[in-house]
Amino acid sequence: MINVERLAIISIHLQGMRDTPGRVSFEILQPWLHGNLVFFDIEFNLLDEVTSAGFWDATETMLGDLESELKEYV
């Protein structure tokens, strides 16, 4: 039996990384969950001030999007 309820995958990784576990999981699960899947991909490089600020902005946006998705679901 496969549970096809909504699933969110949150991938937070160093800038420049490819084929992260989150991305691979998303690509594997996407055909099975028929659109009931949300993928958030956030890169960071905390040594760079611009990228660091972007990381926190992206995290805040992701959490807001996730919260609105959860409100629609409940």
Side-chain angles (χ1 to χ4, degrees), residues 11-18 20-21 39-45 55:
S11 176
I12 301 174
H13 55 87
L14 288 170
Q15 186 177 20
M17 291 181 67
R18 302 289 176 249
T20 60
F39 181 63
F40 297 99
D41 188 39
I42 300 174
E43 292 186 327
F44 69 93
N45 177 355
F55 168 76

Side-chain angles (χ1 to χ4, degrees), residues 60-71:
E60 186 176 338
T61 301
M62 182 265 307
L63 291 174
D65 291 348
L66 187 56
E67 184 177 15
S68 66
E69 284 285 329
L70 291 174
K71 284 181 183 177

Side-chain angles (χ1 to χ4, degrees), residues 2-53:
I2 298 174
N3 183 350
V4 292
E5 291 183 29
R6 289 185 172 181
L7 175 67
I9 297 174
I10 302 170
S11 176
I12 301 174
H13 55 87
L14 288 170
Q15 186 177 20
M17 291 181 67
R18 302 289 176 249
D19 296 329
T20 60
R23 168 74 60 192
V24 172
S25 299
F26 172 74
E27 290 174 0
I28 291 170
L29 293 174
Q30 189 176 20
W32 290 91
L33 296 178
H34 306 291
N36 290 328
L37 183 61
V38 179
F39 181 63
F40 297 99
D41 188 39
I42 300 174
E43 292 186 327
F44 69 93
N45 177 355
L46 299 180
L47 298 177
D48 179 359
E49 287 184 32
V50 173
T51 308
S52 179

